[in-house]
Amino acid sequence: MKINNKNMIDRKTLLVLVVLSVFFVLFVKLVYVQIFLHEKINHVVEKMVNREDLEIPKRGDITDAKGKILATSIKKCTIFLDPKAIEDFNEVKEVLFENGIKIFQKNLTDLGNTSYVPVAFSVDVDIVDKIKDKKLKGIGFKNKYTRYYPEGRLLSHILGITDNEGKGLEGIEKIYNEFLSGNSIITKMHRDGRGRIIQNKIVDQSKICGQNVELSIDRTIQFIAEQELRTAFEKYKAKKAICIVQNPKTGCILAMVSLPDFDSSVKIKNVGALRNSAISDIFEPGSTFKIVTVAAALEKGKVKLSDVFYLENGKLKIAGHTIKDDHKIEGSVSLGKAMELSSNIGMVKIAQRLGNEDFYEYIRKFGFYSLTGIDLPGEARGLLMDVKKWNALTLPNIAFGQGIGVNALQMINAFSAIANDGVLKKPFVVNKIEKLDTVTETFQSKETKIRTVVSVETAQIIKKLLKNVVDSGTGKRAKIKGYTVGGKTGTAQKVDPSLKTYSTKYYVASFCGMVPAMNPEFVVLVIIDEPMGASYYSSSVAAPVFANIAQKIAKYLDIEKDDVNQI
């Protein structure tokens, strides 16, 4: 049979043209992909092969002065699925279900076209380890740290809280957030085409973790103060209660309690509960302020211990107003007796010898109407009228603690200045900031002197007067077994906002004292705001609370007993 060469050539030509056309189309496609889709394809491949992850550091711990952990971070995990890497969806569901995690999607396609489907949050590490042991493809884990306060409510106002992202919002958590939080870094995870990890950069957590903060607070002393104060707070159905314990020689705070407090593990509905009343609330101190009046007059040489004062039979009229003593004192008494019996009239007469300018000067020298500079947020400055605006009643009122607004920290710091032989120290709650085993930064010196307020001689006289107040005056119920105590009661009327005058129903009962009386190792301030019951006087409300706290602290600190009559 004869073959037609022309037809064969035509077929060959056609075949060549088809092949060339195919190659041409592929070439054009290749050029298009390489030139026009290059960036897009690279981006898709990069997402498939590489994944960036933000490595969150472990937040630093907060400890007490002896290393007891008060706040720490516990590692938790978010478990997620990568549908593109899952080989057996039913097996994945079964393993997760065995560990308490239920997936509601019935099929793999229900997970959607994504590589990240979170299925469980805040999962414990031990559960995560069990799931990891199965070595299933398509299951991923993302670490997260949850803040944990092992002591519950203890020190809630000092420690503060963090938000869901671990940022400090209140207290030490806020002030030292920069040190506690550490530095987040981005790590890269590489996968092959089947989703298997082929490289995972190992992160040295010690290089990115937050720094530890050591407080001056002693957990045991804090517990004693909280326990005793809470008992009184509930007993008297008080509006608020405060207790501060301070080392007068260094200024450091050993305990600070504000009630009501809060539990950081429970959602806080009332943001007012976060307010640290010990430094944020302003109150009229009442008779505890009398140490300022007497110390200033002694220091300026306006009075002597031998001076006597006529107490007007309990009533003194000034500028159309009558100033009264709680208990009628007839005749004249010495300066010391006026202090022992907490005479308002006696203090007015002492302050009148001082005069406005000198009295104002010493009020400021003791630290009132100034921020103490403590390393906690929300400190209030207080209230004090400019001396140029004082009227005929301003000096008499302030002489016994009315007409001036202070915070509790200012009050105890003033007593600590007397306890420390006239030297005012800066109060603080943080000893140091640590990282690993190396101290990287000391926040401040343990002994930061602000100023000398009064001489050693004046301070010694005031300490003796305060001891007499407890031995034979209004502070008798502040006595503790085996130790001398110096202190002062304070029962201040609160202003009734509706009547714009002093209330006859609501009071603030306070007691501030030092142990031992003449060489104090610690100072304690107790404040009970609006105590309800048969008595509102500090002598029967605040002084016994002080005694309970001071007795236990003295025993805990193993302070040598100095009262031979009480041993």
Side-chain angles (χ1 to χ4, degrees), residues 50-100:
N50 301 318
R51 174 180 290 141
E52 289 187 347
D53 195 16
L54 186 66
E55 190 74 26
I56 304 297
K58 181 181 182 295
R59 190 172 178 85
D61 292 339
I62 302 175
T63 70
D64 81 339
K66 294 186 176 179
K68 178 74 175 180
I69 293 179
L70 303 171
T72 190
S73 292
I74 298 176
K75 191 175 184 180
K76 298 284 186 176
C77 283
T78 294
I79 299 179
F80 65 91
L81 301 182
D82 183 351
K84 297 176 181 179
I86 293 176
E87 293 182 347
D88 189 334
F89 183 55
N90 289 329
E91 185 180 9
V92 168
K93 289 177 64 176
E94 183 178 344
V95 168
L96 292 178
F97 183 76
E98 289 173 355
N99 288 279

Side-chain angles (χ1 to χ4, degrees), residues 193-418:
R194 300 186 66 182
R196 294 174 300 189
I197 297 175
I198 57 175
Q199 181 182 347
N200 187 19
K201 184 177 180 181
I202 304 299
V203 178
D204 184 355
Q205 285 289 341
S206 67
K207 294 182 179 179
I208 66 169
C209 66
Q211 294 171 257
N212 297 333
V213 173
E214 179 188 289
L215 303 184
S216 64
I217 301 290
D218 186 308
R219 184 263 176 202
T220 301
I221 295 177
Q222 180 74 22
F223 179 79
I224 291 169
E226 284 202 23
Q227 187 180 51
E228 295 295 336
L229 190 69
R230 196 180 301 278
T231 299
F233 176 69
E234 294 172 354
K235 175 183 177 180
Y236 294 108
K237 297 180 174 58
K239 181 180 180 181
K240 294 178 184 177
I242 296 167
C243 179
I244 305 176
V245 183
Q246 185 175 25
N247 181 334
K249 297 176 181 179
T250 65
C252 77
I253 302 300
L254 301 174
M256 181 181 286
V257 190
S258 296
L259 298 178
D261 54 5
F262 60 90
D263 186 345
S264 57
S265 65
V266 178
K267 186 175 181 180
I268 300 169
K269 297 179 181 180
N270 178 17
V271 293
L274 297 172
R275 184 181 180 89
N276 186 356
S277 299
I279 62 174
S280 299
D281 285 6
I282 298 171
F283 68 101
E284 291 191 355
S287 294
T288 52
F289 196 78
K290 290 173 181 177
I291 66 161
V292 178
T293 306
V294 177
L298 285 169
E299 188 71 10
K300 294 295 289 186
K302 303 295 184 180
V303 297
K304 301 185 298 294
L305 278 178
S306 58
D307 290 347
V308 293
F309 301 88
Y310 177 58
L311 301 184
E312 309 291 338
N313 291 316
K315 292 183 180 180
L316 174 63
K317 288 189 176 182
I318 296 178
H321 290 76
T322 300
I323 294 173
K324 300 178 182 179
D325 279 331
D326 289 330
H327 308 287
K328 184 178 178 180
I329 306 170
E330 296 181 352
S332 298
V333 299
S334 66
L335 184 152
K337 204 65 178 178
M339 178 71 97
E340 284 179 39
L341 300 176
S342 199
S343 170
N344 293 338
I345 295 171
M347 294 304 118
V348 171
K349 293 197 170 187
I350 292 170
Q352 286 174 334
R353 292 192 186 184
L354 261 176
N356 291 356
E357 295 291 341
D358 285 344
F359 193 23
Y360 182 85
E361 176 192 348
Y362 274 85
I363 291 170
R364 298 302 307 275
K365 284 184 74 173
F366 269 98
F368 296 103
Y369 198 54
S370 297
L371 297 178
T372 67
I374 192 169
D375 40 349
L376 286 172
E379 183 184 4
R381 182 180 297 274
L383 297 171
L384 177 63
M385 185 184 297
D386 189 285
V387 67
K388 295 177 182 178
K389 298 179 180 179
W390 285 17
N391 58 34
L393 277 173
T394 306
L395 178 141
N397 280 338
I398 296 178
F400 57 90
Q402 283 190 347
I404 183 172
V406 307
N407 68 47
L409 184 61
Q410 291 171 334
M411 199 68 248
I412 192 172
N413 217 36
F415 270 79
S416 287
I418 295 297

Side-chain angles (χ1 to χ4, degrees), residues 102-121:
K102 188 174 182 180
I103 298 177
F104 296 96
Q105 291 88 343
K106 295 182 178 180
N107 301 301
L108 185 61
T109 54
D110 294 338
L111 296 174
N113 185 26
T114 179
S115 59
Y116 182 79
V117 181
V119 293
F121 302 91

